[in-house]
């Protein structure tokens, strides 16, 4: 009962603190949460004993998994050099230099304890400055660097922290053993996280493939993933659960709208559920911090060798030292490793100085640091009290507060911006609730002769929207329209897969002799087109061989024995994984120019093959072949038309202007869908319940677009 009462109390304090923060926007919500915890500890005499293992499991796993899932993967790979430098080398340098400084400031502390304090201060909280990034005009590269760095240094810092705590508790430390163990638990932990998230991704995709698309169910599965992965890695495999959840988050199927396998409702519900969870966890951590501070201060007051003001001074010196170390490292790395002009070397640069200064101040400490310091054990293996535990807790808390205040005050001053700062877990989307008419008249009677099923109505709406967009796309040359149309065609294709009507076209759709005959005709046309391109020297020999092998592979598949749906799904999933791994392994050894040339030739060959096959299909149709093929010609034509649209979509430009225009067009397309739903309702072709369900999906899609923009 005490645990339940404690949870209710903390949630209540969190709610009150965040309500207050809406009236004092210039004060970070995290500081108000800390104050709420302090008041609760002083007035209600609340004291909470924290268990290290479950605390790391409950707080670390979901927070880091969510950070990895939300981080843009392209930027993570693009900035891998500076990110790894900041996350590993900077952490080591900070731990060594900072540990020596702490030992100098407090000589009575054991060396292992001094390093423990600095190691737990290594992880940074990137969300602390993201909300002011645009108004403050912080460089995008710096924001991506801080975010990517936090993923890795959370792992490296906490591993160092774990070893420092172990050395303090046991009194034994071997640098060689620690180094070997570090690489072992990190590498195996990364592999374990990758394998487990691959399994979870496969299960989730299989559920969708089987029609299990309950949005609440998928959200719960996503929430459970980091806890299961962390538990298996730590308790069963005895490797780093932190590294495992970070890698799992990075490789997790993204919740963005580019993941076509999941409906907009699933993606939106999952995103909002994660927002709520991280919001609560982050608030819990800072309220707990506030609850612990008075007890730490009480012990300091009774300590003859250390008082509160002296500890505050030490914490300020440590924070300044961490900022300076970070500044020096950033300036050093940008000067010697990121120079675009290798001939004209300039040691002093105002631009680099400004960038490095912002990098130093932006290294805010937050939730992960608090999770670590609150998980410090109370006793060592010998039964003695953990050395200066309350002092470490107080100094770490003070450094977090200094870093929060430093970012809050200094960043707006330097960038001449006054926007408030949002911290990890406090950046929850605050859009208004969906405007859905829940008062539908379920008893409305519509003629069963004309009423469409939900799938049929959705198909009609999508087809009308596609026709409307095509009519607006004059001469079929606007790449923005082509891209959006391709997305709608893809959605229509997925809808046809789930419908009870005729099967959509697929290379696995071989139900009779006529299907096989048409496929054979189409593949022969594609081969002729590829050979013509090669004869005219429009593609290279390698491009020709690749295209021919691909077509021959599909031709062989026409007569290959098929398995049941479940077996085919997992075979395809496994093959896709092998292809991705092969591409990832070969990519560093392939020149960028060769990759671009290969992709360009592949698109040319596929487009030419699709056009040649379409010409043949239309020729057969004109020669009264439609009846001979039982209306299959239309289905095959739609398949190749979709391929052309998808290929044109793949060649789209990803400039900022293009993305803005695409989003605007997507919003317009959703308004077309609403209009077509209303038309079907007024014509009596769908019930009010069906209309509301269709509107709900449209609203979900619009919410996903708005969520991605923010």
């Amino acid at each position: 009962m005490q645990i339940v009462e404690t949870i209710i109390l903390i949630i209540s304090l969190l709610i009150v603190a965040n309500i207050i923060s809406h009236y004092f926007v210039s004060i970070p919500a995290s500081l108000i949460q800390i104050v709420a915890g302090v008041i609760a500890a002083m007035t209600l005499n609340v004291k909470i004993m924290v268990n290290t293992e479950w605390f790391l499991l409950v707080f670390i796993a979901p927070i880091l998994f969510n950070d990895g899932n939300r981080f843009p993967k392209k930027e993570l790979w693009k900035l891998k050099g500076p990110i790894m430098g900041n996350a590993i080398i900077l952490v080591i340098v900070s731990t060594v230099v900072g540990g020596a400084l702490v030992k100098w400031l407090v000589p009575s502390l054991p060396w292992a304890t001094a390093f423990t304090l600095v190691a737990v201060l290594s992880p940074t909280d990137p969300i602390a400055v993201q909300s002011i990034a645009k108004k403050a005009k912080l460089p995008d590269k710096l924001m991506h660097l801080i975010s990517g760095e936090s993923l890795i240094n959370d792992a490296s810092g906490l591993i160092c922290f774990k070893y420092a705590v172990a050395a303090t508790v046991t009194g034994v430390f071997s640098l060689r053993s620690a180094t070997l163990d570090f690489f072992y638990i990190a590498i195996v932990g990364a592999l374990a996280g990758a394998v487990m998230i691959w399994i979870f991704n496969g299960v989730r995709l299989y559920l969708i493939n089987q029609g299990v698309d309950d949005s609440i169910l998928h959200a719960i599965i996503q929430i459970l993933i980091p806890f299961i992965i962390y538990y298996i890695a730590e308790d069963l495999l005895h490797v780093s659960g932190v590294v495992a959840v970070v890698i799992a988050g990075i490789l997790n199927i993204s919740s963005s709208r580019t993941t076509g396998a999941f409906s907009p409702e699933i993606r939106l519900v999952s995103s909002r559920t994660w927002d709520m969870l991280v919001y609560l966890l982050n608030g819990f951590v800072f309220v707990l911090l506030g609850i612990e501070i008075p007890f730490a201060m009480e012990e300091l007051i009774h300590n003859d060798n250390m008082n509160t003001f002296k500890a505050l001074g030490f914490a300020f010196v440590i924070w300044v030292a961490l900022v300076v170390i970070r500044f020096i490292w950033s300036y050093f790395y940008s000067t010697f490793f990121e120079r675009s002009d290798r001939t004209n070397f300039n040691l002093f640069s105002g631009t680099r100085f400004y960038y490095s200064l912002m990098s130093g101040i932006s290294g805010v400490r937050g939730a992960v640091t608090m999770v670590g310091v609150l998980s410090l054990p109370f006793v060592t293996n010998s039964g003695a009290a953990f050395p200066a535990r309350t002092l470490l807790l107080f100094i770490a808390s003070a450094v977090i507060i200094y870093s929060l205040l430093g970012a809050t005050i200094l960043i707006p001053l330097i960038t001449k911006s006054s926007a408030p700062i949002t911290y990890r877990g406090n950046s929850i989307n605050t859009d208004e609730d969906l405007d859905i008419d829940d008062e539908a008249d379920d008893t409305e009677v519509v003629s069963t002769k004309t009423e469409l099923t939900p799938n049929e109505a959705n198909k009609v709406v999508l087809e009308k929207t596609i026709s409307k967009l095509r009519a607006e796309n004059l001469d079929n040359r606007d790449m923005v329209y082509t891209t959006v149309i391709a997305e709608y065609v893809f959605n229509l294709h997925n809808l046809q897969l789930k419908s009870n009507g005729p099967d959509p076209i697929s290379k696995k759709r071989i139900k009779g002799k006529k299907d096989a005959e048409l496929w054979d005709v189409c593949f022969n046309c594609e081969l002729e087109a590829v050979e013509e391109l090669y004869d005219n020297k429009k593609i290279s020999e390698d491009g020709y061989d690749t295209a021919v092998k691909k077509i021959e592979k599909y031709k062989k598949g026409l007569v290959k024995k098929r398995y049941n749906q479940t077996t085919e799904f997992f075979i395809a999933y496994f093959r896709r994984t092998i292809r991705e791994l092969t591409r990832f392994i070969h990519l560093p050894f392939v020149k960028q120019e060769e990759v671009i040339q290969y992709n360009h030739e592949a698109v040319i060959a596929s487009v030419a093959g699709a056009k040649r096959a379409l010409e043949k299909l239309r020729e057969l149709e004109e020669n009264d072949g439609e009846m001979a093929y039982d209306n299959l010609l239309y289905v095959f034509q739609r398949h190749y038309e979709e391929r052309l649209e998808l290929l044109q979509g793949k060649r789209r430009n990803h400039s900022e202007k293009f993305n803005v225009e695409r989003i605007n067009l997507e919003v317009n397309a959703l308004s077309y869908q609403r209009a077509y739903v209303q038309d079907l309702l007024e014509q009596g072709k769908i019930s009010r319940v069906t209309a509301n369900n269709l509107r709900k999906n449209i609203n979900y899609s619009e919410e996903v677009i708005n969520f991605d923009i923010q």
Side-chain angles (χ1 to χ4, degrees):
M1 190 62 184
Q2 184 178 1
I3 296 178
V4 176
E5 293 173 349
T6 302
I7 293 175
I8 294 174
L9 173 63
I10 294 178
I11 292 178
S12 301
L13 292 171
L14 176 60
I15 292 173
V16 172
N18 283 287
I19 291 175
I20 295 174
S21 70
H22 283 282
Y23 294 94
F24 299 93
V25 294
S26 60
I27 302 176
S30 301
L31 291 179
I32 299 178
Q33 292 163 3
I34 292 173
V35 172
V38 171
I39 295 174
M42 296 178 65
T43 58
L44 303 178
N45 196 30
V46 179
K47 189 169 184 179
I48 300 174
M49 303 294 290
V50 177
N51 179 276
T52 304
E53 296 301 326
W54 72 259
F55 203 67
L56 291 174
L57 171 65
V58 171
F59 291 94
I60 283 290
I63 288 176
L64 295 188
F65 181 84
N66 181 67
D67 286 349
N69 189 39
R70 294 288 178 88
F71 191 81
K73 310 304 184 290
K74 290 183 179 179
E75 295 298 333
L76 182 64
W77 180 255
K78 183 178 180 180
L79 295 173
K80 57 184 180 297
I83 285 175
M84 296 303 292
N86 280 20
I88 297 179
I89 299 178
L90 179 59
V91 166
I92 294 174
V93 172
S94 299
T95 302
V96 173
V97 177
L101 175 64
V102 171
K103 178 66 176 177
W104 178 71
L105 292 173
V106 189
S108 60
L109 280 181
W111 276 101
T113 308
F115 289 133
T116 297
L117 174 61
V118 183
V120 82
L121 291 172
S122 297
T124 54
D125 189 344
I127 310 301
V129 290
Q130 285 187 1
S131 65
I132 64 169
K134 293 183 179 179
K135 290 186 178 181
K137 297 181 180 179
L138 292 179
D140 291 337
K141 179 182 176 182
L142 177 59
M143 294 309 307
H144 289 139
L145 175 59
I146 295 172
S147 300
E149 169 196 354
S150 73
L151 291 177
I152 312 300
N153 71 14
D154 284 344
S156 60
L158 288 175
I159 291 176
C160 292
F161 168 73
K162 183 177 179 179
Y163 277 108
V165 171
T168 304
V169 170
T170 63
V172 178
F173 178 78
S174 170
L175 179 61
R176 180 177 178 275
S177 298
T179 303
L180 293 176
D181 287 345
F182 178 90
F183 284 105
Y184 169 76
I185 66 174
I187 295 174
V188 178
L191 292 175
V195 171
M196 284 188 280
I197 195 61
W198 177 78
I199 295 173
F200 277 113
N201 286 341
V203 171
R204 292 176 60 207
L205 289 173
Y206 176 71
L207 291 176
I208 292 295
N209 182 266
Q210 296 297 304
V212 182
D213 57 354
D214 186 337
S215 59
I216 303 298
L217 174 64
H218 280 272
I220 293 173
I221 291 174
Q222 274 222 72
I223 295 299
L224 285 176
I225 287 175
F227 298 105
I228 295 174
I229 291 177
Y230 185 92
Y231 174 78
I232 293 176
E234 286 282 345
D235 288 15
L236 300 183
L237 302 179
H238 304 293
V239 294
S240 174
V242 174
V243 174
V245 294
V246 168
I247 297 299
I250 294 173
L251 299 179
N252 183 46
I253 299 177
S254 175
S255 60
S256 70
R257 57 191 168 91
T258 57
T259 306
F262 300 101
S263 68
E265 181 179 359
I266 291 177
R267 301 197 299 271
L268 182 61
V269 170
S270 297
S271 297
R272 294 303 173 89
T273 303
W274 269 112
D275 280 339
M276 182 181 67
L277 178 64
V278 176
Y279 183 85
L280 287 173
L281 292 178
N282 189 81
F284 260 77
V285 170
F286 284 102
V287 172
L288 284 174
L289 165 61
I291 292 174
E292 292 288 330
I293 287 178
F295 298 102
M297 291 180 63
E298 182 181 2
E299 184 165 326
L300 288 176
I301 291 173
H302 295 91
N303 190 329
D304 296 333
N305 298 323
M306 183 70 63
N307 58 57
T308 305
F309 294 104
K310 194 174 182 180
L312 287 173
F314 287 165
F316 181 78
V317 172
I318 294 171
W319 171 66
V320 172
L322 292 175
V323 172
V324 171
I325 293 171
R326 187 178 179 87
F327 166 80
I328 294 174
W329 166 257
S330 298
Y331 196 89
F332 172 81
Y333 189 91
S334 61
T335 300
F336 294 97
F337 296 98
E338 292 188 340
R339 289 188 294 121
S340 57
D341 186 2
R342 298 289 177 179
T343 58
N344 187 14
F345 176 74
N346 184 13
L347 183 60
F348 301 101
S349 169
T351 302
R352 288 200 302 271
F353 181 89
Y354 172 81
Y355 178 88
S356 302
L357 180 62
M358 294 304 304
S359 176
I361 298 174
S362 300
V364 178
R365 273 65 188 175
V368 176
T369 294
M370 280 318 309
V371 170
V373 74
L374 288 172
S375 68
L376 283 171
F378 287 88
V379 295
T380 64
N381 286 354
S382 62
F386 191 93
R389 183 183 186 277
T390 53
L391 176 61
L392 298 187
L393 174 61
F394 184 83
I395 291 179
S397 305
V399 171
I400 291 174
I401 295 173
Y402 284 138
S403 67
L404 292 173
L405 291 173
T408 303
I409 298 171
L410 297 178
I411 289 179
L413 286 177
I414 295 175
T415 60
K416 300 180 180 180
S417 171
S418 58
I421 293 181
T422 302
Y423 300 89
R424 179 193 269 130
N426 291 327
S427 57
I428 187 171
N429 193 307
T430 56
D431 290 345
E432 295 180 0
D433 293 336
L434 300 177
D435 183 16
I436 301 174
D437 182 12
D438 293 326
E439 299 178 358
D441 184 6
D442 296 345
T443 62
E444 181 181 14
V445 179
V446 181
S447 173
T448 56
K449 292 183 180 179
T450 58
E451 184 176 320
L452 300 173
T453 66
N455 276 346
E456 291 172 342
N458 198 7
K459 180 182 176 184
V460 170
V461 170
L462 290 177
E463 288 177 341
K464 286 180 174 290
T465 304
I466 291 171
S467 298
K468 176 70 173 177
L469 294 174
R470 281 175 172 164
E472 294 178 357
N473 186 18
L474 301 178
D475 299 327
N476 197 33
R477 293 181 179 178
D478 193 322
M479 294 306 298
V480 177
Y481 273 91
T482 302
T483 302
V484 176
I485 290 172
E487 292 175 356
Y488 270 87
V489 170
F490 182 74
N491 292 336
L492 181 62
H493 179 73
N494 285 340
L495 181 63
Q496 289 171 332
L497 283 172
K498 298 177 183 179
S499 67
N500 296 323
D503 292 339
I505 195 66
S506 168
K507 294 182 178 64
K508 297 179 180 179
R509 184 191 184 281
I510 306 299
K511 289 190 174 182
K513 183 178 179 181
K514 293 178 180 179
D515 296 73
E517 287 179 357
L518 272 182
W519 272 124
D520 191 54
V521 169
C522 292
F523 285 143
N524 288 335
C525 290
E526 292 190 46
L527 284 172
E528 292 175 3
V530 172
E531 289 174 357
E532 185 175 311
L533 288 173
Y534 179 65
D535 292 338
N536 294 331
K537 298 183 179 180
K538 293 184 178 180
I539 59 175
S540 65
E541 185 175 353
D542 289 339
Y544 169 78
D545 290 339
T546 301
V548 170
K549 288 179 181 178
K550 184 177 180 180
I551 297 171
E552 291 294 344
K553 176 184 175 182
Y554 287 140
K555 290 187 70 174
K556 290 180 181 178
L558 295 178
V559 296
K560 187 178 293 184
K561 179 182 178 181
R562 293 298 172 189
Y563 305 96
N564 61 57
Q565 186 179 8
T566 299
T567 305
E568 282 196 354
F569 170 82
F570 284 109
I571 289 176
Y573 184 61
F574 182 77
R575 287 175 176 172
R576 186 163 65 248
T577 304
I578 295 298
R579 287 198 302 269
E580 290 295 322
L581 287 174
T582 303
R583 185 181 65 84
F584 178 78
I585 293 172
H586 288 167
L587 186 61
F589 304 99
V590 179
K591 295 181 179 179
Q592 183 67 18
E593 296 79 6
E594 295 178 0
V595 175
I596 295 174
Q597 176 66 19
Y598 174 80
N599 292 335
H600 180 66
E601 290 185 347
V603 171
I604 290 177
S606 191
V607 168
K611 289 181 176 179
R612 183 65 61 87
L614 268 177
E615 292 174 0
K616 184 64 177 179
L617 291 170
R618 288 165 182 163
E619 180 183 331
L620 291 173
E621 186 179 21
E622 291 175 359
N623 295 330
D624 298 327
E626 184 64 34
M627 297 302 297
Y629 286 102
D630 298 330
N631 298 318
L632 283 175
L633 288 177
Y634 171 75
V635 181
F636 273 71
Q637 287 177 21
R638 289 297 302 144
H639 165 72
Y640 280 103
E641 288 172 355
E642 290 173 10
R643 182 202 284 189
L644 287 174
E645 288 167 347
L646 290 171
L647 287 171
Q648 290 169 341
K650 287 181 180 178
R651 293 183 292 178
R652 60 185 178 269
N653 182 16
H654 288 284
S655 66
E656 185 67 25
K657 179 182 178 182
F658 176 89
N659 290 330
V660 171
E661 292 178 354
R662 186 193 65 188
I663 290 171
N664 292 334
L665 183 58
E666 287 175 341
V667 173
N668 290 338
L670 292 176
S671 67
Y672 297 155
Q673 290 190 56
R674 290 191 179 93
Y676 293 136
V677 170
Q678 184 64 26
D679 288 344
L680 292 175
L681 179 62
E682 293 175 355
Q683 294 168 9
K685 293 184 177 181
I686 58 175
S687 67
R688 190 173 297 276
V689 174
T690 300
N692 282 335
N693 286 333
L694 293 175
R695 291 190 185 115
K696 181 177 69 173
N697 288 331
I698 294 171
N699 288 336
Y700 277 134
S701 298
E702 191 168 57
E703 280 289 289
V704 170
I705 293 175
N706 293 332
F707 182 83
D708 287 338
I709 293 174
Q710 297 174 1

